Amino acid sequence: MQKIDQYMHEFLSELNYKPILTMSSKLQGGKKLRSKLLLKIAGKSDISYKICAIIELIHAASLLHDDVIDEAKLRRGAQSINAEFGAKNAIMLGDILYSKAFYELSLIDLKLAKIISNAVVMLSVGELMDVNLSTTFNTDKNAYLKMIYNKTAVLIEASAKCGAILANLNEDDFANYGKNLGLAFQIVDDLLDIKSDEQTLGKPAMNDFKEGKTTLAYIYLYEKLNIQEKEKLKNYHKKELNINEINWIKSKMEEYKIFEQINMDLNIYTNEALNAILKYKMEDLEDIVKSMIEREF
């Protein structure tokens, strides 16, 4: 991971503008799931490290814009860039990271560039879907799944696909692995927003619902509630919830075994991911799936 950070720093240093380095130094590194995935498939090489650095710049840019859209004050337990430097600076830094990533990508390989740049287009569409779905209480599971595929899974899918191309493996198998891993990853992320506390998450718990995001747990719960309870849940949407309101939602999720229902979905996605690469016998990729499902933040 240090090699990837080194390339990211070199890319941004070439722009020769100190505020870029000042702000980018405050970016929270995260788990680098996409990079770990690509390196496990393709192995370590100069081109692999550069592709990883490019993907991490893209991912960081998407998070910068995401935090501005959500008016988030925290990112992984630290002050967000928009909170510390202002929304305008955060947006421009995101644009710089995107633009520099595309420039570096253009120097490497046309096929890889097409895969990653197309993923970024879809990622941006996913962001727009997320914003539009958050205006009302969404009850459409398919709309939610399409949104998280674009917003999250597509870049993980592209990372796995690029790794396979670099390793001369079947790109469709690894794209299928990455897609299902990405869907499961986001569903777990949404679930943790409900089940975990602020200290563990590095951001306020149940913040998604306050921001208008009707994630899978709320969609499933809505399907199970009676008419009066449905209205009650909808009235809590996009609201600052007190402890009693939070406890009511959580108790209803327990009563209707919502978490167990989501775990069944997660098993389907993880099995799809693992079956796609079963013949390659890559234990490291199996471990990535396991660690992603069992994570606490």
Side-chain angles (χ1 to χ4, degrees), residues 151-164:
K151 185 178 175 183
T152 302
V154 73
L155 192 55
I156 297 174
E157 178 184 34
S159 301
K161 192 171 184 176
C162 287

Side-chain angles (χ1 to χ4, degrees), residues 195-206:
K195 296 179 73 174
S196 294
D197 55 37
E198 182 172 348
Q199 186 176 357
T200 304
L201 291 170
K203 63 178 182 177
M206 293 187 76

Side-chain angles (χ1 to χ4, degrees), residues 102-274:
F102 286 133
Y103 172 74
E104 294 298 332
L105 195 55
S106 72
L107 303 177
I108 294 177
D109 178 86
L110 181 59
K111 186 173 183 179
L112 297 177
K114 283 182 176 179
I115 291 168
I116 295 172
S117 58
N118 183 60
V120 177
V121 173
M122 295 173 72
L123 187 158
S124 301
V125 172
E127 287 279 9
L128 184 58
M129 288 177 173
D130 193 20
V131 169
N132 288 332
L133 283 177
S134 298
T135 58
T136 57
F137 188 97
N138 173 53
T139 59
D140 187 343
K141 177 184 174 182
N142 288 330
Y144 162 81
L145 290 174
K146 187 175 182 180
M147 181 271 291
I148 67 167
Y149 168 68
N150 283 308
K151 185 178 175 183
T152 302
V154 73
L155 192 55
I156 297 174
E157 178 184 34
S159 301
K161 192 171 184 176
C162 287
I165 291 168
L166 291 171
N168 293 314
L169 298 171
N170 186 298
E171 60 190 80
D172 292 333
D173 290 341
F174 287 87
N176 192 15
Y177 168 87
K179 174 185 176 180
N180 284 285
L181 175 67
L183 289 169
F185 180 88
Q186 187 58 53
I187 290 170
V188 170
D189 214 49
D190 292 342
L191 195 58
L192 291 175
D193 180 76
I194 300 167
K195 296 179 73 174
S196 294
D197 55 37
E198 182 172 348
Q199 186 176 357
T200 304
L201 291 170
K203 63 178 182 177
M206 293 187 76
N207 196 54
D208 286 349
F209 201 52
K210 176 188 169 185
E211 291 176 353
K213 301 177 195 296
T214 317
T215 56
L216 197 55
Y218 299 103
I219 294 171
Y220 281 161
L221 178 60
Y222 184 81
E223 291 172 353
K224 300 284 179 67
L225 297 174
N226 62 40
I227 295 173
Q228 290 79 16
E229 290 171 333
K230 277 179 163 61
E231 286 305 308
K232 188 173 184 177
L233 183 64
K234 287 172 75 173
N235 287 334
Y236 288 165
H237 184 240
K238 300 184 77 168
K239 177 184 173 184
E240 186 80 52
L241 300 177
N242 62 42
I243 190 65
N244 291 330
E245 291 164 339
I246 289 171
N247 287 339
W248 182 82
I249 291 173
K250 288 187 175 182
S251 68
K252 287 297 176 183
M253 286 186 178
E254 291 287 346
E255 179 182 342
Y256 291 109
K257 301 185 185 307
I258 300 302
F259 300 143
E260 287 87 341
Q261 187 175 353
I262 291 175
N263 282 332
M264 289 172 64
D265 286 346
L266 287 172
N267 285 333
I268 291 170
Y269 290 122
T270 54
N271 285 334
E272 283 285 330
L274 293 173

